[in-house]
Amino acid sequence: MGYQTDAVHAGQQPDESTGAVITPIFQTATYAQEAPAVHKGYEYGRTGNPTRLALEKNLAVLERGKFAYAFSSGMAATSTVSQLLKAGDHVVCTANVYGGTARYFRQVMAHFGLQFDLVDTSQISHLERVWRQETKMLFVETPTNPLLIISDLRALASFCHDRQALLVVDNTFMSPYFQRPLELGADIVLHSTTKFINGHSDVVGGIVITNRPEIAERLAFLQNAVGAVPSPFDCWLILRATKTLPLRMRQINANATAIAEFLSRDRRVQKVYYPGLKDHPQHELAARQQLDPYGQPGFGGMISFDLPDFETAKRFLTGIKLFTLAESLGGVESLICHPTSMTHASVPPEERRRIGLSDGLVRLAVGIEDVEDLIADLQQGLAQI
Ligand SMILES: *Cc1c(COP(=O)(O)O)cnc(C)c1O
């Protein structure tokens, strides 16, 4: 089936007992058994739930994988994936990874005997420097937040597979509509479904997808054994949202492309970071790796740009009206944020300078509004500086 057809239908059919077209919210903690251990496949709500299963089947298909497991947040997905490892194992992770992921690795898993190195995964040579006998997992985010640096997933997959390590990709920023890492050789893909997949800024959730049965079996075990499962209602909301994922992503991509071009023409803006722009240093890699299901490149909804300094950025941000000043991304509404004082405030200033994150940097998470309105808002914000 075509991707839009899958988005609407995969994992779902009319309810057998009532004919309900939409998968019901099975808000139940337990299930009646006909005789001891004789049941319809469901025993207990943590172990299994029909609404959750429909969401998992739907997202497995959209990510072009075979097995998916839903979690109560993106961090719960990351933490469950880390539990595939054991004390003494070493993990290499993208340096500029989501802050919560770095915090979890450094301040939680390190206490359980796992070891970590955070490096720039856009260059294989950096991996070779830190790679060890005990390295069991490479955890990659591409593009990164907020500077949109891209790692070559096909090259990283073959690097990992030559060394019997797993490639795990946090695909939150592109959504499965514009990037499907399993097709490029990744072993595990995870998302914060809070972002583009749910897309309406009203649920926190996570998903893990794989093609490999032995990994799937362990993930299923961990999902139940660890227990970071989502509620049936949250699963139902996300399942409703995935029906429009392709439509939303196309509009977001078209809006972001127009906005990135507008910003790169404005002399008050020093530098624009968007992989869709020809002058992005990794534009060609992005155009090869970030494809919609019909083979057209897409660059997503995240744009960052440099204003001269913090004061200028503050004046600009105070003048903005339509973009909401907030953390997070991936919703239908456009958001704007100032990474140094908001999402990346916990990154020490020297570290921020080292990775090129300036005090004047502004990040946009573009939504689906009329692009003329979004550009007019940015224009009047720029007029304030
Ligand atoms: C938000 C986010 C997470 C964490 O997900 P939560 O749903 O907030 O727990 C992980 N990775 C990326 C890239 C994110 O943007």
Side-chain angles (χ1 to χ4, degrees):
M1 289 289 176
Y3 199 88
Q4 178 62 64
T5 308
D6 284 337
V8 174
H9 294 286
Q12 300 152 83
Q13 54 266 334
D15 180 52
E16 269 179 36
S17 60
T18 61
V21 167
I22 296 302
T23 303
I25 306 165
F26 285 93
Q27 191 71 34
T28 187
T30 189
Y31 305 85
Q33 308 200 1
E34 287 155 43
V38 180
H39 52 73
K40 298 180 163 64
Y42 296 98
E43 299 155 87
Y44 184 62
R46 167 162 38 73
T47 323
N49 176 283
T51 318
R52 187 173 96 205
L53 187 63
L55 173 64
E56 291 171 337
K57 286 182 168 169
N58 182 262
L59 284 174
V61 170
L62 295 187
E63 195 56 77
R64 297 308 189 219
K66 292 200 183 90
F67 311 98
Y69 301 94
F71 294 92
S72 54
S73 68
M75 285 318 303
T78 300
S79 83
T80 305
V81 165
S82 320
Q83 293 176 49
L84 293 168
L85 300 166
K86 58 180 190 325
D89 288 349
H90 175 244
V91 178
V92 178
C93 175
T94 302
N96 212 358
V97 74
Y98 176 71
T101 304
R103 178 177 60 195
Y104 176 75
F105 286 164
R106 284 181 169 142
Q107 297 183 41
V108 183
M109 286 318 276
H111 298 172
F112 292 85
L114 283 185
Q115 306 184 67
F116 298 93
D117 269 305
L118 277 71
V119 303
D120 174 1
T121 50
S122 71
Q123 311 256 345
I124 296 268
S125 58
H126 295 148
L127 296 178
E128 283 165 344
R129 242 197 358 258
V130 296
W131 207 265
R132 315 181 196 163
Q133 193 78 42
E134 307 81 54
T135 309
K136 294 286 157 56
M137 184 182 281
L138 174 61
F139 190 104
V140 173
E141 212 175 289
T142 178
T144 60
N145 174 27
L147 296 173
L148 301 156
I149 298 165
I150 294 174
S151 292
D152 184 338
L153 292 177
R154 217 183 263 287
L156 293 178
S158 74
F159 181 89
C160 286
H161 297 156
D162 287 345
R163 292 163 180 77
Q164 277 81 49
L166 296 177
L167 174 60
V168 178
V169 179
D170 180 338
N171 197 26
T172 302
F173 263 41
M174 291 316 294
S175 91
Y177 189 74
F178 281 128
Q179 182 166 271
R180 289 164 306 284
L182 296 176
E183 293 180 338
L184 303 171
D187 300 286
I188 298 173
V189 170
L190 62 86
H191 289 269
S192 166
T193 50
T194 314
K195 315 294 168 51
F196 291 101
I197 287 180
N198 181 59
H200 293 72
S201 309
D202 51 13
V203 181
V204 171
I207 192 87
V208 179
I209 303 134
T210 183
N211 273 325
R212 297 191 28 197
E214 75 285 6
I215 296 174
E217 198 180 315
R218 186 69 187 161
L219 286 170
F221 169 81
L222 289 170
Q223 185 192 39
N224 182 49
V226 178
V229 294
S231 74
F233 181 55
D234 285 356
C235 292
W236 183 85
L237 282 170
I238 302 168
L239 191 57
R240 178 165 80 154
T242 60
K243 293 177 193 293
T244 57
L245 178 71
L247 302 176
R248 286 185 280 112
M249 292 312 295
R250 282 201 288 271
Q251 175 82 4
I252 284 171
N253 186 60
N255 282 358
T257 301
I259 290 171
E261 279 162 8
F262 158 76
L263 290 170
S264 60
R265 280 192 305 267
D266 194 293
R267 271 181 296 109
R268 291 163 292 195
V269 174
Q270 295 183 323
K271 185 169 177 190
V272 183
Y273 304 82
Y274 187 65
L277 292 174
K278 297 249 167 9
D279 67 359
H280 185 284
Q282 293 161 302
H283 172 70
E284 276 178 33
L285 172 59
R288 187 162 77 235
Q289 168 166 289
Q290 301 176 179
L291 299 174
D292 76 13
Y294 309 96
Q296 293 304 309
F299 305 98
M302 306 305 297
I303 305 172
S304 295
F305 58 96
D306 278 325
L307 292 175
D309 50 46
F310 182 39
E311 279 313 308
T312 315
K314 212 159 81 182
R315 271 201 304 281
F316 170 73
L317 288 164
T318 336
I320 289 291
K321 297 196 173 72
L322 182 54
F323 283 80
T324 304
L325 183 64
E327 296 187 7
S328 200
L329 56 119
V332 290
E333 64 289 312
S334 294
L335 304 181
I336 193 163
C337 92
H338 180 245
T340 29
S341 65
M342 296 169 70
T343 52
H344 289 63
S346 64
V347 180
E350 338 55 274
E351 170 76 3
R352 290 203 295 257
R353 262 191 300 279
R354 201 180 56 73
I355 61 177
L357 208 165
S358 77
D359 291 345
L361 192 81
V362 173
R363 187 192 79 179
L364 306 179
V366 176
I368 65 167
E369 300 94 334
D370 289 299
V371 72
E372 297 76 14
D373 293 334
L374 295 173
I375 290 177
D377 193 35
L378 295 170
Q379 226 150 11
Q380 62 90 21
L382 286 168
Q384 319 267 327
I385 70 175

